[in-house]
Amino acid sequence: MASALSFEHPVAPTLRALDWSGDPQVRTPAVKPSFFRRLLRAVRSELSVTPRTMATYAISRGFPQFAFSRTRTLLLRAAGVSIGAGTSIMGTLHITGYGSPSLLSFGRGTAVSGPLHIDLGARVTIGDRVHFGQEVMLLTMDHEFGTPDERCGRLTSAPIRIEDGVWLASRVTILPGVTVGCGSVVAAGAVVTRDVPPNSMVGGVPARLIRNLDDDAPKSLRRRRARPANDDV
């Protein structure tokens, strides 16, 4: 009687067929992640920009050049960049690299006139009354030479220091580990690979000493050729 009343659930064979845990020879097939999960994983692995870095770029780029300089500078301070009193950021401050904006500091009375690109892999210290021309680059990261099958080797970094009173003209590039001494001038387009002595003028690729500067303001060739602005009126 008991055997006549017993019955088997109609879906039981299906459930047993799906239960592979008891059979060591059977493995659950790998489920391919969806496109969006793979995209999210790729973004997470590649996103090395900190929120503060993104904020500094958005703030400095959000205003026209030479306009709202005080507002831009105030917002950059709020984003974590150390900026001394009287310093004016008049153009885009483009920070790249894995370092935090806290590694960057500006002294007092410094002027950044154009786009300034700073690659932050190590500390960048900018002194008082430093003047930046257009499209200057401060690069703290470099690569060692590798083997012939891949010449671009291990990534390295070293700090950059720009001392008081320096003038970096347009499109100057400062490479890792360089200190530019007080009162120096770096000519437009120069690539500086080694320390610059105080009160000197350097230029070229790579930058070399052009002349030593004394305590007085030297009269440049451009100044001798210049004429008062109202002469053309």
Side-chain angles (χ1 to χ4, degrees):
M1 180 66 67
S3 60
L5 294 177
S6 64
F7 65 94
E8 188 173 2
H9 195 280
V11 299
T14 305
L15 294 176
R16 285 198 299 271
L18 295 177
D19 183 12
W20 295 346
S21 59
D23 188 353
Q25 301 300 323
V26 180
R27 295 290 183 266
T28 304
V31 179
K32 188 176 181 180
S34 67
F35 169 77
F36 292 105
R37 286 188 178 181
R38 285 182 283 140
L39 179 62
L40 181 60
R41 188 183 307 164
V43 170
R44 285 177 176 175
S45 64
E46 294 177 352
L47 188 61
S48 59
V49 181
T50 64
R52 282 188 175 184
T53 302
M54 296 175 64
T56 58
Y57 185 69
I59 290 168
S60 60
R61 193 177 176 85
F63 299 98
Q65 190 171 351
F66 302 123
F68 300 98
S69 298
R70 294 176 62 184
T71 301
R72 181 191 289 107
T73 304
L74 181 64
L75 291 174
L76 287 172
R77 284 196 187 102
V81 180
S82 176
I83 303 176
T87 289
S88 181
I89 311 297
M90 296 176 279
T92 302
L93 182 60
H94 186 192
I95 297 177
T96 58
Y98 52 76
S100 167
S102 61
L103 292 173
L104 172 62
S105 64
F106 292 87
R108 302 165 64 91
T110 288
V112 178
S113 61
L116 173 60
H117 179 190
I118 301 179
D119 195 19
L120 271 182
R123 182 166 295 279
V124 174
T125 305
I126 299 166
D128 300 338
R129 301 174 304 281
V130 177
H131 288 256
F132 290 87
Q134 303 278 343
E135 298 179 350
V136 173
M137 292 194 295
L138 308 181
L139 308 178
T140 63
M141 293 191 289
D142 197 2
H143 289 267
E144 296 177 345
F145 281 117
T147 55
D149 60 324
E150 188 176 0
R151 285 300 186 190
C152 185
R154 184 172 66 96
L155 182 66
T156 61
S157 63
I160 289 175
R161 183 177 183 84
I162 312 297
E163 296 185 344
D164 298 346
V166 169
W167 175 18
L168 302 180
S170 295
R171 295 192 173 179
V172 164
T173 300
I174 308 293
L175 295 186
V178 168
T179 295
V180 181
C182 296
S184 294
V185 176
V186 182
V191 177
V192 185
T193 61
R194 63 184 66 183
D195 290 352
V196 177
N199 295 316
S200 62
M201 181 177 182
V202 300
V205 180
R208 300 183 184 278
L209 179 66
I210 296 175
R211 63 173 166 171
N212 293 313
L213 304 175
D214 53 26
D215 293 337
D216 297 327
K219 291 186 177 180
S220 66
L221 180 62
R222 284 182 299 171
R223 182 180 299 180
R224 291 197 297 269
R225 290 176 176 173
R227 55 184 178 178
N230 58 5
D231 284 359
D232 295 330
V233 178

